[in-house]
Structure formats: structure tokens, C-alpha cells
Amino acid sequence: MILITGAPGWLGTRLVDTIVNGSTGMPWLTEPYADRRIRCFVLNGVNPEELRGFSPKVSVVAGDVRDKASLVQLFKDAEGATLFHLIGVIHPRRVRDFYDVNTGGARNIVDCAVEHGVERLVMISSNSPAGHHSGNERLFDEDSPNRPYMSYGKSKMLAEDYVNAAHASGKLETTILRPCWFYGPGQPPRQTRFFKMIQNGRVPVVGGGENRRSMTYIDNLCQAILLAGHIEKARGQTYWIADRKPYTMNETVDTIERLLEHEFGLPVAHRRLRMPGIASEFAVACDWIIQRAGLYWQEVHVLSEMNKTIACSIEKAERELGYCPRIGLEEGMRRSIRWCIDRGFLP
């Protein structure tokens, strides 16, 4: 059996689709999962019909990861199962939600997995436990020290600690994946808003735009998740998961702008909101104050990171998992834009 938390979210839906329908160009990827039933844990009140539509072997259990009692049905008869834990909050209204969902939820999942004899847990973490670079040339790797960035980073770091402790105790096989900035079809409104800001000339570029960001195309991430679920060497390991190379902010914005205009024929303003680096540093101070008050303001937090380099090496994942990110920025953004246009989200 396969257990998935976080569907029908962006990543969870894509993962179920990949398991059921395969991965283009990599038919071997889903072979270890071909005959297994899939049980998805869906937040109370969320419509699960898209998940059920993939295959009769997909079933749904509703609950709340913060409520351990609601997890009972998810783990019923789950001995020997592979569990993909994808649930997490990135931009909540309150700081406490980071810890209730990202940390507390992960603890509940781990405890239930141990109690019900789950064989392997693959947890999706984040780049945020590592923080950001002081310079523009360095790459994070699995030996880089944790310097969590704000409450989100700390909540994910604490979840990682709990997962690693479960593996160290011998009670559960675990693997942690650290993807970076997601992109790809199925994206949430915040990503479409980013496209519209570029189209309308309102996207902020802070401090020259040459800071580098690792990004993770969603199908590349699904590949890594499925590999981590059965590769023997992945037991007890943490892996950075991203596209093969980091991209500067200028490169990312220029690529999206070019695709919008030249491939999809959409009008583009050809402007940027140029800001000095101090704008992000001021946002860092504001973000710290706001979060100390227990609140969270998405726009301030995002601006605080706009001049930061957050870039990683995927060498360990390539070597040990056989991870091979076949889709890069241009093709990934092309697919994302086409998905938006097909659904009327752009122009």
C-alpha cells in the first residue's frame, strides 16, 4: 500500500497522477508501485473527486494532521506500507500554524507510522532549514549546517529532527527530501500572480537580480520522491532536490517574459520594479517583528528573500538515488504557462 498525505494539493495530486499514469520517458520509475493501492489523506472539507478520478485503486480518508485521532483510518491495515508525507503550510496567517502543521503534524504522522508498522516514510521538507547564503557562489549540500530562516524554516527543521530520531531508533525507515522553489503545472494562485506581475511590469527585482535560486520542477520532484521510496541506500538519508543548476532572478524573470511574449503571444510590459538590496533587508526586520507578534504577512516575507542566494548541489541525489532532473527552467515554465492559459488564468 502507498499512503500519501497532502493530496489533493499541488504536489500530492501530481504524485498520484504520476504513480497511476506513469512518468513520460521514465517507465521504470513507477514499476515498484504498479500493483499497490493508494490511500490519500485529505483535509476535512476539501473535495477529493480529482483524486478518485485517477483510478479505482485510489481511496481517500479525510481528517486533520493536527488531530492524531483522525489519522486512524489512514493507517488501518498499513503494515509494510510506503508513506509519502507531503503536508505542510508555507504562507499561513499565524506563526503557530507553522508549528502545529509542519512540526506537530509530522510528529503525529511519524508516531502513527511506527505504531502501525509502516515500512518507509519519505518526508518533504524545504530549503528553509538551511537558510540562505552569505555570498553568491556557494551551494548548499547535505553537510551544510542548519541556519533556519524564520518560523517556517525552524518548523521544518524540528520536523526533520523528529523524523531522523525515528530512524535512529530503528523503528522506521525514513528519507528526507529538501526541494526548493516549486514550479510547474497545477500551480497555486501565488505562482500565477508571479506570472502576471512579470507580464504587467510589476515584478520586484532587488539588488540587481544576480542572486541565484535553486528551483524544483514538480515532475523532477515526483521522480525523486518515488526513487526515495524504494532505493535501499536512501534509508536514513537527506537529499537536496532541484533542477540541475540554480538560476539568477534575472534569468527566471527574463525566461518567463520571453515565453509569454514570443511563444504565447501575450502582451508584456518589459518593465521591472527595481529596488536596492536594502529593501529586502528592511523587509527582514519587518518580517521578524511581525512574526514575533505571532502573525505572518506573505508579501513582506517574500520580499525579505528577494535578494538572497538559496542554491544547492544535487550531486548526492544523483549519485545515490539515480535522480536525473530532465526538465529545466525554460521547458518547465513553458508547461506552466500553457497550463495557466488552458484554464483561463492568463492573460
Side-chain angles (χ1 to χ4, degrees):
M1 182 183 293
I2 300 167
L3 309 180
I4 300 176
T5 71
W10 182 13
L11 177 57
T13 300
R14 198 70 173 180
L15 182 62
V16 173
D17 189 5
T18 301
I19 295 171
V20 171
N21 295 313
S23 180
T24 303
M26 293 182 287
W28 49 268
L29 185 62
T30 54
E31 286 177 3
Y33 306 98
D35 299 322
R36 299 171 73 177
R37 291 176 293 123
I38 303 169
R39 185 181 294 163
C40 299
F41 187 69
V42 175
L43 181 65
N44 288 323
V46 173
N47 188 341
E49 289 310 306
E50 183 176 10
L51 297 172
R52 291 194 177 110
F54 285 123
S55 168
K57 72 178 183 180
V58 178
S59 61
V60 173
V61 173
D64 189 321
V65 74
R66 295 169 293 188
D67 176 13
K68 189 177 177 182
S70 75
L71 295 169
V72 171
Q73 289 302 310
L74 174 67
F75 287 94
K76 184 178 179 180
D77 300 322
E79 185 174 358
T82 299
L83 167 61
F84 300 119
H85 179 50
L86 316 181
I87 286 178
V89 293
I90 301 173
H91 298 299
R93 294 183 178 182
R94 306 171 305 170
V95 166
R96 65 174 291 180
D97 293 334
F98 287 129
Y99 297 100
D100 288 349
V101 176
N102 297 345
T103 307
R107 288 173 176 169
N108 287 338
I109 288 290
V110 168
D111 290 347
C112 287
V114 170
E115 291 165 11
H116 290 83
V118 167
E119 182 174 351
R120 182 173 295 192
L121 164 67
V122 177
M123 188 191 96
I124 299 302
S125 185
S126 165
N127 56 262
S128 282
H132 56 80
H133 301 288
S134 56
N136 198 33
E137 299 304 319
R138 294 178 54 217
L139 297 177
F140 287 126
D141 63 22
E142 288 74 12
D143 294 323
S144 299
N146 282 335
R147 296 189 178 93
Y149 188 65
M150 299 288 182
S151 301
Y152 175 69
K154 187 174 180 181
S155 72
K156 283 292 194 178
M157 181 188 73
L158 293 172
E160 287 187 5
D161 290 345
Y162 202 79
V163 168
N164 285 327
H167 181 83
S169 72
K171 297 176 181 178
L172 181 66
E173 293 181 6
T174 68
T175 304
I176 295 170
L177 303 183
R178 283 182 168 182
C180 302
W181 180 0
F182 291 10
Y183 68 107
Q187 64 189 37
R190 67 177 183 271
Q191 195 85 345
T192 306
R193 180 185 177 191
F194 181 59
F195 289 172
K196 290 179 178 179
M197 291 170 72
I198 293 171
Q199 186 181 7
N200 297 327
R202 297 193 179 98
V203 66
V205 175
V206 183
E210 289 304 307
N211 56 302
R212 298 187 300 159
R213 296 291 297 264
S214 283
M215 299 176 65
T216 310
Y217 182 67
I218 196 162
D219 288 356
N220 293 338
L221 178 53
C222 287
Q223 177 200 151
I225 291 170
L226 295 178
L227 289 168
H230 71 88
I231 297 294
E232 190 72 14
K233 199 163 187 177
R235 293 187 303 171
Q237 299 299 313
T238 296
Y239 298 97
W240 285 90
I241 304 297
D243 295 356
R244 183 153 281 115
K245 75 180 189 74
Y247 313 106
T248 68
M249 283 301 298
N250 285 332
E251 183 180 4
T252 300
V253 173
D254 289 346
T255 299
I256 296 169
E257 184 180 73
R258 184 178 64 256
L259 290 168
L260 288 169
E261 182 174 37
H262 295 294
E263 294 206 18
F264 295 97
L266 298 178
V268 174
H270 294 287
R271 292 193 305 269
R272 309 281 189 273
L273 291 179
R274 299 284 179 182
M275 298 182 181
I278 192 66
S280 279
E281 301 314 313
F282 179 71
V284 170
C286 293
D287 194 15
W288 186 85
I289 292 169
I290 292 167
Q291 292 199 32
R292 286 282 290 179
L295 304 174
Y296 180 84
W297 190 347
Q298 178 179 336
E299 288 77 9
V300 172
H301 182 78
V302 171
L303 180 59
S304 77
E305 293 186 310
M306 287 294 288
N307 70 336
K308 306 294 189 294
T309 286
I310 306 171
C312 69
S313 166
I314 60 169
E315 192 274 334
K316 181 181 176 183
E318 290 179 304
R319 183 180 69 249
E320 296 188 3
L321 293 180
Y323 174 60
C324 179
R326 300 189 176 197
I327 305 299
L329 182 67
E330 181 150 345
E331 178 58 25
M333 288 300 180
R334 179 180 291 113
R335 296 181 184 188
S336 299
I337 295 168
R338 184 180 295 115
W339 181 87
C340 289
I341 291 173
D342 288 347
R343 285 153 183 78
F345 300 149
L346 290 173

